[in-house]
Amino acid sequence: MAREPLSRERVLRAAVELADGSGLDAVSMRGLAQVLGVVPMALYKHVANKDELLDGMVDAVIGEFEAPDPALDWPDAVRARLLSARRAVLRHAWARRAIESRTRRTPAVLGYMDAVVGTFRRGGLSVDLTHHVMHALGNRIWGFSPELFDAPADPSAPPPPAEQQRATAEEFARRFPHVLEIATAATGGDLSAVGGGCDEQFEFEFALDLLLDGVARLHGRGWRSA
Amino acid sequence: MAREPLSRERVLRAAVELADGSGLDAVSMRGLAQVLGVVPMALYKHVANKDELLDGMVDAVIGEFEAPDPALDWPDAVRARLLSARRAVLRHAWARRAIESRTRRTPAVLGYMDAVVGTFRRGGLSVDLTHHVMHALGNRIWGFSPELFDAPADPSAPPPPAEQQRATAEEFARRFPHVLEIATAATGGDLSAVGGGCDEQFEFEFALDLLLDGVARLHGRGWRSA
DNA sequence: ACGCTAGGTGTACGGTGTACGCCTGTCAAG
DNA sequence: CTTGACAGGCGTACACCGTACACCTAGCGT
């Protein structure tokens, strides 16, 4: 049975699936070739190099973003767009890291940015203000904020002996009291949950609204730079 | 002449200098060993592995951050702290990428975060609000905002033929009119400078002040979550 | 029947991090 | 003194990475 031939689509689709299932590190040219039942160099007939492969994978995620209801006013429209982006990025755990590492602005990336910018402009914001707002949003236009604390520890790892754990906890409290304070507050005082205890969704929306509110105020009073 | 022995300090210092001079990619165990006149495996007697090396380099940069004048009120104190961090990170072009890639919260990292959190707390902000504000600031506490557009193109690269350049420019204008609009506005209409034309310092401070202003307002009206 | 070409193959090169064993100079205890 | 532990630098080796380059072959338009 002659398998159907490769294609850029098939390669990218397989890469996304592989990353979804086994993580971004599993997406090596060799690894990807293997799941496609093909020799590594075969991929290069469809993708120029690994960077382009990554770009293509990110583009695939962007393709899942949904446009907001056109009836919404600009803050809600931006909000809807970014939250849709967030949902897509969360569906692909690797996407965040991939987006952060890419610097290439593909047509898909530019298209999405253009849509976001367009939403502000149609809302009446000045070119000037819109420009700075885009910078202020930063990676939040991709639906995520930077991770402030550790990624949640691997739950399969064996916990350290209780004695030592208490000792390090005490030292932590002594050296970083303020961090401890806000970390425990976030988990309702459950110290053991401190690592992965933040409600990322809330944090995302908090920051987003903080920025959008600020922008709305600047816009309302006719802000202009310099 | 017996060279003085290696030490963790010396290794880290050499790594930082190497990265400063030749970029982060030049910092491989082999490359670093070479500039130290030593065999690669020798480094492992002083650093557990490459991740720890990177962590150490980041810690070195954090060591350059300066504490603000204690007489400042909280918004100015935070501002001063973050701008000091920014100066340090700008001194080491690689630091930004290194910080983004690290997930490990070393004592140095926690110490710095604790200082920032402490500044908010001493200003009277609630634990609750402070926590969310830290998330909202995100990587901005390291003195940089995410790059929205391409890194400036390598100026040594030969420019494409004028004809083709005009054609792609026209297509760009057709497909991404809004992006073009804000990009040209940022450079005063100089289209050729669009790539690296943003005033990053302004963007950083704009976003920072937008956030701090919003926070001050929330604080003033006694905001609390849920 | 011919030759072109798209697409898969095989081999090879130079790079990476790092595990493991060895060897040697220093220094403290017997 | 001698001895033995040990810190620290050395050498080799392994598995993995991206990818350059030459080759082969099936299918197709002329």
Side-chain angles (χ1 to χ4, degrees):
Chain A
M1 53 164 240
R3 50 172 194 231
E4 81 209 282
L6 255 46
S7 71
R8 194 182 153 88
E9 293 330 301
R10 234 163 74 78
V11 168
L12 291 181
R13 207 141 29 90
V16 167
E17 277 167 28
L18 181 56
D20 283 346
S22 312
L24 194 55
D25 291 333
V27 182
S28 66
M29 297 309 265
R30 288 173 158 86
L32 179 56
Q34 189 163 15
V35 311
L36 283 165
V38 115
V39 97
M41 289 309 294
L43 302 176
Y44 287 84
K45 292 280 152 81
H46 305 277
V47 205
N49 51 42
K50 180 149 187 196
D51 273 358
E52 205 192 277
L53 176 72
L54 270 302
D55 284 338
M57 293 173 64
V58 170
D59 284 0
V61 175
I62 294 175
E64 298 180 16
F65 294 180
E66 292 156 22
D69 181 343
L72 296 171
D73 61 352
W74 70 264
D76 281 341
V78 170
R79 211 164 183 283
R81 218 181 257 284
L82 268 51
L83 289 176
S84 160
R86 176 171 177 80
R87 283 190 301 274
V89 168
L90 289 183
R91 275 196 294 274
H92 305 282
W94 49 271
R96 195 188 172 117
R97 236 181 78 203
I99 290 171
E100 272 178 330
S101 75
R102 306 288 71 212
T103 70
R104 176 105 203 292
R105 298 303 168 224
T106 65
V109 170
L110 286 168
Y112 174 64
M113 288 172 64
D114 200 73
V116 177
V117 174
T119 309
F120 283 118
R121 295 285 290 126
R122 266 190 300 282
L125 272 72
S126 72
V127 183
D128 194 15
L129 182 55
T130 303
H131 172 235
H132 301 308
V133 172
M134 288 294 287
H135 276 282
L137 287 173
N139 272 347
R140 248 174 285 263
I141 69 169
W142 303 118
F144 61 89
S145 18
E147 286 185 26
L148 196 55
F149 301 105
D150 262 328
D154 182 1
S156 71
E163 172 54 28
Q164 185 195 325
Q165 196 169 6
R166 207 175 44 77
T168 57
E170 274 170 15
E171 196 199 336
F172 193 104
R174 193 162 32 77
R175 294 177 64 184
F176 316 115
H178 299 109
V179 169
L180 181 69
E181 197 181 35
I182 66 171
T184 52
T187 59
D190 179 2
L191 240 163
S192 71
V194 162
C198 291
D199 183 345
E200 269 237 46
Q201 184 71 30
F202 179 89
E203 306 304 342
F204 182 81
E205 298 190 30
F206 175 86
L208 179 57
D209 291 339
L210 198 57
L211 289 165
L212 290 180
D213 284 356
V215 171
R217 191 159 19 243
L218 289 184
H219 175 52
R221 75 163 90 119
W223 182 92
R224 40 181 41 258
S225 70
Chain B
M1 51 162 243
R3 50 172 197 229
E4 81 209 280
L6 255 47
S7 71
R8 195 183 153 86
E9 291 330 300
R10 232 162 76 76
V11 168
L12 291 181
R13 207 141 28 92
V16 167
E17 276 167 28
L18 181 56
D20 283 345
S22 311
L24 194 54
D25 291 333
V27 183
S28 66
M29 297 309 266
R30 288 173 160 85
L32 178 55
Q34 188 164 16
V35 311
L36 283 165
V38 114
V39 96
M41 289 310 293
L43 303 176
Y44 286 85
K45 290 281 153 78
H46 305 278
V47 224
N49 49 43
K50 181 148 186 198
D51 273 357
E52 205 192 276
L53 177 71
L54 271 299
D55 284 338
M57 293 172 65
V58 170
D59 285 0
V61 175
I62 293 176
E64 297 180 17
F65 294 0
E66 292 155 20
D69 180 343
L72 296 172
D73 62 353
W74 70 264
D76 281 341
V78 170
R79 213 165 182 283
R81 218 181 257 285
L82 268 50
L83 289 176
S84 160
R86 176 171 177 80
R87 284 191 300 275
V89 168
L90 289 183
R91 276 197 293 275
H92 306 283
W94 48 271
R96 195 189 172 114
R97 236 180 77 203
I99 290 171
E100 273 178 330
S101 75
R102 306 290 68 214
T103 70
R104 175 106 202 291
R105 298 302 168 225
T106 67
V109 170
L110 286 168
Y112 173 64
M113 287 173 62
D114 200 74
V116 178
V117 174
T119 310
F120 283 117
R121 294 287 290 127
R122 266 189 301 280
L125 271 71
S126 72
V127 184
D128 194 17
L129 182 55
T130 302
H131 171 233
H132 301 308
V133 171
M134 288 295 287
H135 276 282
L137 286 172
N139 272 346
R140 246 174 286 263
I141 69 169
W142 303 118
F144 61 90
S145 18
E147 286 185 27
L148 196 55
F149 300 105
D150 261 329
D154 182 1
S156 71
E163 171 56 27
Q164 184 196 326
Q165 197 170 5
R166 208 176 42 78
T168 57
E170 274 170 17
E171 196 198 338
F172 193 105
R174 193 162 32 79
R175 294 178 63 184
F176 316 116
H178 300 109
V179 169
L180 181 69
E181 196 180 35
I182 66 171
T184 53
T187 59
D190 179 3
L191 239 162
S192 72
V194 161
C198 291
D199 182 345
E200 269 236 46
Q201 183 71 31
F202 179 88
E203 305 304 342
F204 181 81
E205 298 190 30
F206 175 86
L208 179 57
D209 291 339
L210 198 57
L211 288 165
L212 290 180
D213 284 357
V215 170
R217 191 161 17 246
L218 290 183
H219 175 51
R221 77 164 89 119
W223 181 94
R224 40 180 43 257
S225 69

